[in-house]
Amino acid sequence: MDKKNEYQDEGLKGNERIEDAIFALQKEATQEQLAHTLTVIRRRMKEGGQLIVAVEPDPAQAQMKLQTVRTPDGKIWWSAFTSFEEELKGSGSVMSTFLTDMEQLFRMTLTADDIEGVILNPWNRTLMLDKRFLHIILGE
């Protein structure tokens, strides 16, 4: 048995297909490879796949909020991770995280006015899913 999957949360099993598709897209950035990668994400979403999201306290609301990343162009994104290994690769600090349903996260992103989209695996096998891509993944 694959040791990595032995201790993996059930909702994350299969996300390595997303990581592989992103890796292939990074090596060969074509329209066909992008379409394949979005299809792989849609299939995982339909299988009930989950992502890891980081949260931080929101003192103004006395609750937790999704952690954001600001890109050099000033846009704000939520970040999500396909595995705990991806989460640990680049962050210098320990984050509070929880698992979330992919479809729920994508739909929530579409309704958040100040959020540009979701960055998958911001440290390594990165894919920026703007709202246009999220609509495609959701089949809208």
Side-chain angles (χ1 to χ4, degrees):
M1 181 177 197
D2 182 4
K3 283 285 186 203
K4 181 181 173 195
N5 282 337
E6 188 177 337
Y7 304 107
Q8 194 174 43
D9 189 281
E10 202 59 41
L12 299 176
K13 288 182 180 173
N15 282 0
E16 60 278 352
R17 295 192 308 260
I18 296 173
E19 294 169 14
D20 292 344
I22 293 171
F23 181 66
L25 179 63
Q26 288 173 334
K27 283 175 43 178
E28 184 184 354
T30 64
Q31 290 296 318
E32 293 80 14
Q33 192 60 49
L34 174 60
H36 169 72
T37 303
L38 296 178
T39 300
V40 169
I41 295 169
R42 178 188 294 147
R43 284 186 188 138
R44 278 297 299 137
M45 180 187 76
K46 295 286 186 197
E47 293 168 2
Q50 295 182 314
L51 295 170
I52 302 163
V53 290
V55 293
E56 57 192 9
D58 182 357
Q61 307 221 338
Q63 62 184 24
M64 301 299 270
K65 66 177 184 173
L66 291 180
Q67 197 172 63
T68 59
V69 173
R70 185 180 299 271
T71 51
D73 60 7
K75 294 179 178 171
I76 299 172
W77 301 70
W78 281 329
S79 58
F81 304 90
T82 52
S83 66
F84 287 106
E85 290 81 14
E86 284 296 325
E87 177 208 340
L88 294 172
K89 282 182 180 168
S91 176
S93 61
V94 175
M95 294 185 274
S96 296
T97 61
F98 68 93
L99 293 174
T100 188
D101 178 77
M102 284 182 182
E103 184 170 358
Q104 183 180 3
L105 175 64
F106 296 161
R107 291 196 183 283
M108 196 168 75
T109 304
L110 291 175
T111 62
D113 293 332
D114 54 340
I115 300 297
E116 192 68 24
V118 176
I119 299 178
L120 286 183
N121 301 329
W123 321 131
N124 182 31
R125 297 220 170 148
T126 303
L127 181 62
M128 297 172 81
L129 298 171
D130 63 17
K131 291 182 179 181
R132 180 178 45 118
F133 288 152
L134 294 177
H135 280 293
I136 291 169
I137 291 168
L138 291 165
E140 299 174 347

